[in-house]
Amino acid sequence: AITRITGREIIDSRGNPTVEVDIALEDGSFGRAAVPSGASTGEREAVELRDGDPARFHGKGVRRAVDAVNGEIAAAVRGREAEDQGGLDTALIGLDGTADKARLGANALLGVSLAVAKAAAAAHRLPLYRYVGSVDAALLPVPMMNIINGGAHADNPLDFQEFMIAPVGAASFAEAVRMGSEVFHTLRRDLRAAGHHTGVGDEGGFAPELRTADEALEFVVAAIERTGYRPGSDFTLVMDPASSEFYRDGEYDYTGEGVRRTPEQHVDHLAGLVARYPVASIEDPMAEDDLDGWRLLMARLGDRCQLTGDDVFCTNEALLRDGIRDGIANSVLVKVNQIGTLTETLATVATAHRAGYTVVMSHRSGETEDTTIADLAVATGCGQIKTGSLSRSDRTAKYNQLIRIEEELGDRARYAGRRALGLRTD
Ligand code: PGA
Ligand code: ZN
């Protein structure tokens, strides 16, 4: 049974406050979880409760969420069995009482939900991926490594937020990390040689003064080739334009590039990029409020490209069901703090898998040293993880955890490879 719940205010990778929760059980088992935070958030995400007190952390303090953990939530969950994740999460949702977790805060609820799972895993002396998954959880995800940052994650003029490389041709997860690291360092050299600075953005990728997706993708493809790998087979490319961020008045306003595109022109532009470069996956290709645009793009690229909904689904099972019904995407991004409990997160993954949607486990642009999502990627067998670049410990901590999991699984470990993205394997 849960005996002690402690919430505290810590800081995340951007230096902003976030919630951390410790849970102790009667038998001495312990679980700790820290909550991530987004910058380009979806409109229908569960509410991240911030104090709004300008005297502290520029209004971003999370003392109210921490007080909720140490007060109301602690009183409600103390004495409950940590193994009863479903019952506990249902109790948390009921205690909050709002549809969007605005009263106690999704940051308060998620910290407790994940810390309980970790404490329960410890009580069973099981690694988290096996406790949440099963003895069969042995599929290591393809990492989508975000090596060029733009949009809301960097101060450069790049309109698109993320340019990623996915080492689908690796034989193992550890090899995927090595391959990604090698390309990352080649890219650094290439950028420097071209006169660009090599400072990194929020997710650890470079943030050069580039304006167009073509320029960014040229650099990425060249770095892959110059490292000795084949673009398209060893690596596929992945983009997250985060299109909701520059959708205004029914059009896509590329301020860096200095052009406005109608949804049809935006679709044409994306299709052109897919034709010119080995891009196998695009996340939030269309804005969360442009469902007609999503349908247009699905008709155009749905058979050859993974089209992943982030803002449009917000890891929310009900929103995902609507999207599946309307055929707007073929893949879903999963971020635990968009919905606020582990149980709801797993329900969204299960619904996606039943519908034939692929699933990408994901970090937020604001992260901590917490590595829970690495375990959840293996637990759910989703086959893909997006957790930043090959720099910044808030990102590499997840990769390092997956390296440890792969080692622990030994002969049983399998690397998801091309199949995970729905790509042909021949
Ligand atoms: P966020 O960005 O965490 O700032 O929302 C990540 C993403 O858009 O996928
Ligand atoms: Zn996104």
Side-chain angles (χ1 to χ4, degrees):
I2 296 170
T3 52
R4 194 166 50 76
I5 302 101
T6 310
R8 70 178 65 85
E9 190 178 55
I10 62 167
I11 53 169
D12 71 11
S13 56
R14 276 193 282 251
N16 291 323
T18 190
V19 177
E20 179 171 84
V21 177
D22 291 355
I23 297 275
L25 307 185
E26 212 167 11
D27 68 357
S29 302
F30 176 79
R32 170 175 291 163
V35 177
S37 173
S40 62
T41 50
E43 283 167 27
R44 288 172 284 268
E45 292 193 17
V47 173
E48 176 182 78
L49 192 64
R50 300 247 174 222
D51 300 341
D53 170 6
R56 300 186 70 252
F57 288 117
H58 303 277
K60 292 189 176 193
V62 291
R63 272 191 178 161
R64 282 160 66 204
V66 166
D67 288 348
V69 171
N70 291 330
E72 253 187 89
I73 295 175
V77 308
R78 210 176 283 118
R80 291 188 78 102
E81 291 305 324
E83 288 79 7
D84 181 18
Q85 188 76 40
L88 188 122
D89 286 339
T90 304
L92 291 175
I93 293 163
L95 185 66
D96 172 80
T98 66
D100 56 3
K101 304 185 174 73
R103 194 177 77 80
L104 300 174
N107 41 354
L109 268 49
L110 181 68
V112 174
S113 181
L114 295 181
V116 165
K118 289 173 153 190
H124 286 267
R125 298 183 199 288
L126 288 174
L128 186 65
Y129 66 90
R130 190 169 304 155
Y131 172 74
V132 174
S134 71
V135 286
D136 298 325
L139 189 66
L140 274 292
V142 171
M144 295 174 162
M145 300 155 153
N146 181 10
I147 58 174
I148 294 186
N149 294 187
H153 295 169
D155 294 325
N156 58 8
L158 257 183
D159 295 300
F160 286 9
Q161 182 177 280
E162 306 175 20
F163 296 87
M164 295 169 270
I165 52 172
V168 291
S172 66
F173 186 81
E175 185 176 272
V177 169
R178 174 177 60 77
M179 291 166 64
S181 162
E182 289 166 359
V183 172
F184 177 72
H185 287 285
T186 304
L187 179 61
R188 183 200 299 271
R189 264 205 313 278
D190 289 355
L191 287 170
R192 194 178 284 150
H196 290 287
H197 65 74
T198 53
V200 298
D202 287 354
E203 298 189 350
F206 301 114
E209 295 289 304
L210 303 175
R211 293 191 177 274
T212 68
D214 276 285
E215 291 175 275
L217 292 168
E218 293 287 354
F219 267 106
V220 171
V221 167
I224 291 170
E225 285 173 343
R226 281 160 53 78
T227 314
Y229 295 114
R230 294 159 303 171
S233 50
D234 293 322
F235 283 92
T236 66
L237 308 187
V238 179
M239 298 190 295
D240 179 6
S243 299
S244 309
E245 294 292 309
F246 57 99
Y247 182 65
R248 272 178 281 279
D249 306 322
E251 291 193 338
Y252 292 86
D253 188 6
Y254 289 60
T255 52
E257 222 180 290
V259 295
R260 286 176 75 90
R261 290 187 169 98
T262 63
E264 292 74 15
Q265 292 167 332
H266 180 65
V267 165
D268 283 344
H269 178 55
L270 293 173
L273 294 171
V274 169
R276 290 194 290 283
Y277 307 95
V279 174
S281 176
I282 314 176
E283 178 188 328
D284 280 358
M286 309 304 289
E288 60 193 308
D289 295 325
D290 183 16
L291 298 185
D292 289 341
W294 273 98
R295 271 186 288 265
L296 206 60
L297 188 72
M298 265 299 278
R300 188 78 171 269
L301 292 180
D303 62 339
R304 88 196 79 136
C305 211
Q306 177 173 263
L307 301 173
T308 306
D310 170 10
D311 291 353
V312 74
F313 297 141
C314 291
T315 315
N316 182 309
E317 194 188 4
L319 293 177
L320 176 61
R321 279 185 197 283
D322 290 348
I324 291 167
R325 183 196 60 210
D326 297 340
I328 66 162
N330 55 30
S331 175
V332 59
L333 199 81
V334 168
K335 294 165 162 171
V336 281
N337 81 319
Q338 280 184 326
I339 191 68
T341 65
L342 178 59
T343 301
E344 291 166 289
T345 303
L346 297 176
T348 297
V349 173
T351 292
H353 280 158
R354 271 195 301 273
Y357 272 44
T358 55
V359 173
V360 183
M361 193 61 58
S362 174
H363 66 164
R364 300 309 302 253
S365 52
E367 271 291 331
T368 67
E369 62 273 32
D370 184 289
T371 59
T372 305
I373 60 164
D375 283 72
L376 293 185
V378 178
T380 59
C382 67
Q384 302 180 65
I385 190 167
K386 166 172 124 153
T387 187
S389 184
L390 288 308
S391 81
R392 294 189 66 131
S393 298
D394 38 306
R395 313 297 143 182
T396 57
K398 280 68 162 175
Y399 294 134
N400 291 339
Q401 172 69 358
L402 285 161
I403 287 172
R404 288 180 210 111
I405 291 173
E406 184 171 69
E407 176 189 296
E408 183 174 274
L409 286 166
D411 290 346
R412 301 203 302 115
R414 284 174 302 125
Y415 177 61
R418 297 178 63 79
R419 194 171 289 133
L421 283 79
L423 293 168
R424 297 220 320 261
T425 48
D426 52 54

